[in-house]
Amino acid sequence: EAEMSQSETCKNTKHEVFDTCCFQQCELCTDPGWVVNWNRPLSYDGLASTCIDVYMNLRNEMVAAGDDRCLTVQHTLSEECCYKIPSSQCSLCQNSNGTFLNTNWNYEVTYQGASVTCSDVSAMLSSEELDSLLCLSTRDQLWNDCCVPHEGGDSGLGGISPSLPPEVF
């Protein structure tokens, strides 16, 4: 027979097992307004890993917030794994009038010397501000390969594709 969440049996059971089952999970990012870049590759404990791998290990080992191990991981990895949420997030296929084109998610391109998909680039840019130099230059570089108009929609050409500010000499 199922117990209601407010029944005496349920309340007693929660009280008895709370300390062994419940704890405040160690989080990689502690500053408000900062989030984890889950797929960021990194080297930790001498192994190739990602931020999500480290987080899942902490979770599986039931490392609680405030534990020495938690504090060490936060201190060691927060700069690599955490970023401030952009106020206006970069989107690879957003044209300058604010509308979005379709993204060729699986199309392979060369970006920062590596062969990656447009999806990978889009994920990498998600931590950047829309008007940042990295966002604008990447969109300018990969626009024709990664971005296609919706059927019958604007191509992003004719002055509405993303553009870099003029160079100052």
Side-chain angles (χ1 to χ4, degrees), residues 106-111 114-119 121 141-142 145-146:
N106 296 319
Y107 189 81
E108 293 211 3
V109 294
T110 300
Y111 179 67
S115 180
V116 295
T117 65
C118 293
S119 175
V121 175
Q141 174 192 351
L142 299 177
D145 292 330
C146 291

Side-chain angles (χ1 to χ4, degrees), residues 11-12 19 31 56 69 98 106-107 109 113 137:
K11 286 179 188 178
N12 289 337
D19 290 337
D31 292 329
M56 293 307 291
R69 175 125 190 264
N106 296 319
Y107 189 81
V109 294
S137 62

Side-chain angles (χ1 to χ4, degrees), residues 8-21:
E8 276 309 305
T9 304
C10 186
K11 286 179 188 178
N12 289 337
T13 303
K14 285 180 187 177
H15 181 73
E16 290 172 16
V17 299
F18 184 83
D19 290 337
T20 56
C21 294

Side-chain angles (χ1 to χ4, degrees), residues 77-104:
L77 297 180
S78 64
E79 285 187 27
E80 289 187 72
C81 289
C82 304
Y83 67 92
K84 186 169 179 53
I85 300 171
S87 58
S88 183
Q89 187 177 40
C90 180
S91 179
L92 181 60
C93 293
Q94 179 180 3
N95 64 30
S96 57
N97 71 2
T99 60
F100 294 87
L101 277 69
N102 290 325
T103 304
N104 289 326

Side-chain angles (χ1 to χ4, degrees), residues 5 7 12 28 83 88 92 98 112 117 124 135 141 157 164:
S5 65
S7 73
N12 289 337
L28 294 176
Y83 67 92
S88 183
L92 181 60
Q112 296 181 341
T117 65
M124 289 182 235
C135 179
Q141 174 192 351
L157 302 173
L164 294 170

